[in-house]
Amino acid sequence: MRVLVVEDETALAQQLRERLVADGMVVDVAADGREGLYYGEEYGYDVAVVDLGLPELDGVTLIQRLREGERRYPILILTARDSWQDKVAGLEAGADDYLAKPFHYEELLARLRALVRRSSGFASPVLRLGGIELDTVAKEVKVSGSRIDLTAYEYNLLEYLMLHPNKVVSKTELTEHLYAQDFERDSNVIEVFVGRLRRKLDPEGELRPIATIRGQGYRLAVE
């Protein structure tokens, strides 16, 4: 999952980056609204966290600009403001949820996961597709009722494919949304992870849940 954090409090931004990365996410941090707008328009994200009280460009205007530019990923507002009018303004600008400061990180993480699931059409934290069951809270995977052990990279790859069922996902998209920048885009790292994941999901080679679309990428093909 790739997350954009737009927050001008340096200590809080750094803390969020560290915690989110520790939870297996790729994180970009912007310190003001204009930088946030650049990141938000230039790159694809699964979810964004936007503070309302930003320098250069306030959070409400930033959200409006992103929505006007057809950026459809979910946005969570962070605000230290007590006024309900500010929260309403953020939601009406196009945000999907809000969280007041101070907050518990666990609540922020739960809200982000819920926003991403719902944007993909899943209401439950347990994703079920074609005999595969993925628990996004416990980070456990079962195939036909039997639990399988995955590495963090394999889990992240499967989760992303399950959140985009029947969509052809390119290697570039997988790299940008799942892995840190030290992964070489032209390497065979993604191919290796896909190969390992296939063998764990389908050791007998009967189900073939992950299809390779030559020249385009991969697709989790399930009914």
Side-chain angles (χ1 to χ4, degrees):
M1 183 188 304
R2 187 170 185 177
V3 183
L4 172 62
V5 175
V6 191
E7 170 60 62
D8 64 318
E9 294 183 32
T10 304
L12 176 58
Q14 182 62 25
Q15 182 183 32
L16 287 177
R17 182 203 292 273
E18 292 174 356
R19 296 291 298 271
L20 291 169
V21 168
D23 278 305
M25 303 182 193
V26 177
V27 183
D28 294 323
V29 175
D32 60 63
R34 293 197 182 280
E35 186 180 23
L37 181 61
Y38 169 77
Y39 275 111
E41 291 182 334
E42 189 71 16
Y43 303 103
Y45 293 96
D46 298 296
V47 66
V49 179
V50 176
D51 182 29
L52 285 186
L54 294 169
E56 301 294 334
L57 191 70
D58 67 88
V60 170
T61 303
L62 169 59
I63 294 168
Q64 289 174 334
R65 297 274 187 89
L66 291 174
R67 293 310 190 211
E68 289 169 359
E70 299 298 317
R71 300 303 186 270
R72 302 183 184 279
Y73 45 80
I75 297 175
L76 171 71
I77 292 171
L78 284 184
T79 177
R81 303 173 182 177
D82 294 329
S83 169
W84 63 265
Q85 290 93 336
D86 290 321
K87 298 170 184 175
V88 169
L91 293 171
E92 290 187 341
D96 301 273
D97 198 1
Y98 72 86
L99 190 59
K101 298 178 182 179
F103 58 87
H104 292 287
Y105 172 76
E106 289 74 15
E107 181 179 2
L108 171 70
L109 181 61
R111 287 175 181 265
L112 293 182
R113 286 174 171 166
L115 287 173
V116 172
R117 288 197 312 268
R118 290 168 187 161
S119 69
S120 297
F122 293 92
S124 169
V126 179
L127 313 182
R128 296 182 176 88
L129 291 170
I132 303 172
E133 182 178 298
L134 185 147
D135 188 327
T136 60
V137 177
K139 292 193 174 183
E140 294 181 350
V141 176
K142 295 180 180 178
V143 178
S144 300
S146 299
R147 179 178 173 180
I148 62 172
D149 292 324
L150 300 180
T151 66
Y153 286 136
E154 292 164 354
Y155 173 88
N156 290 340
L157 172 60
L158 178 60
E159 181 184 49
Y160 193 82
L161 291 175
M162 290 189 73
L163 288 170
H164 301 82
N166 295 312
K167 172 190 174 184
V168 178
V169 182
S170 69
K171 289 197 293 184
T172 298
E173 182 176 346
L174 286 171
T175 301
E176 290 178 344
H177 284 258
L178 301 179
Y179 306 113
Q181 295 301 316
D182 55 355
F183 277 77
E184 296 180 17
R185 303 245 175 140
D186 296 329
S187 73
N188 66 345
V189 171
I190 298 296
E191 295 175 11
V192 170
F193 287 144
V194 170
R196 291 176 180 171
L197 184 57
R198 277 183 176 137
R199 289 191 290 273
K200 291 183 178 182
L201 292 175
D202 185 24
E204 304 300 324
E206 299 175 351
L207 302 176
R208 300 182 183 277
I210 303 176
T212 298
I213 311 301
R214 184 171 297 179
Q216 299 182 56
Y218 304 98
R219 179 176 64 202
L220 185 66
V222 295
E223 296 181 359

